[in-house]
Amino acid sequence: MDLAWVRQHVRQAAAELGFGLVDQTKLVTAASELARNTLVHGGGGQVECTPLEIGRSRGLRLTFSDEGPGIADIEQALRDGYTSGGGLGLGLGGARRLVHEFSIDSRPRAGTSVTVICWVGGLPHAREERR
């Protein structure tokens, strides 16, 4: 996985789906954090980028997966200030705040998979409720 390629690919996919510049930047920032974690903590891995469409709503799903050591305590890893690598400790929690949907699956010695979803204009069901 190449960080520059991930950022460029996510920005291009988001732009093609109609994300505004601010939302593109949020999504690229989250993707960059997750790709970096996959490389640094997971020893490398892969990213899957999938356009989504529900009715008239469009979104982008990104799944980052690795076969690294896994995360022993996910809640602790999501807590601001926690770091296992000497960084600022904002990676997972920060990425979670930048997207509409966030899920993580990890087990010690079995790798980690993080999936995030962003929707153009916000969550589809939230837009339906505002009408």
Side-chain angles (χ1 to χ4, degrees):
M1 182 182 309
D2 176 271
L3 289 176
W5 181 88
V6 168
R7 286 192 289 264
Q8 180 181 358
H9 186 73
V10 169
R11 183 170 302 279
Q12 181 178 352
E16 289 172 3
L17 286 166
F19 282 89
L21 187 57
V22 170
D23 288 333
Q24 286 178 38
T25 301
K26 288 179 180 180
L27 189 53
V28 168
T29 300
S32 184
E33 290 291 332
L34 296 171
R36 183 185 170 284
N37 283 351
T38 300
L39 287 169
V40 171
H41 302 292
Q46 60 187 15
V47 61
E48 182 179 326
C49 184
T50 308
L52 303 173
E53 194 169 324
I54 298 177
R56 290 183 279 161
S57 298
R58 291 181 319 265
L60 190 61
R61 177 177 55 222
L62 304 173
T63 301
F64 297 83
S65 56
D66 65 60
E67 296 179 6
I71 301 170
D73 186 340
I74 292 173
E75 289 305 315
Q76 181 182 33
L78 288 167
R79 202 171 301 131
D80 284 350
Y82 173 79
T83 179
S84 63
L88 296 175
L90 298 175
L92 285 176
R96 180 171 61 174
R97 285 190 298 277
L98 291 170
V99 298
H100 295 116
E101 301 176 43
F102 180 98
S103 65
I104 185 168
D105 180 37
S106 185
R107 291 175 192 77
R109 297 173 304 284
T112 301
S113 178
V114 179
T115 299
V116 298
I117 300 175
C118 276
W119 296 97
V120 175
L123 290 167
H125 58 80
R127 287 199 310 263
E128 293 297 321
E129 291 171 4
R130 288 195 298 252
R131 289 185 180 163

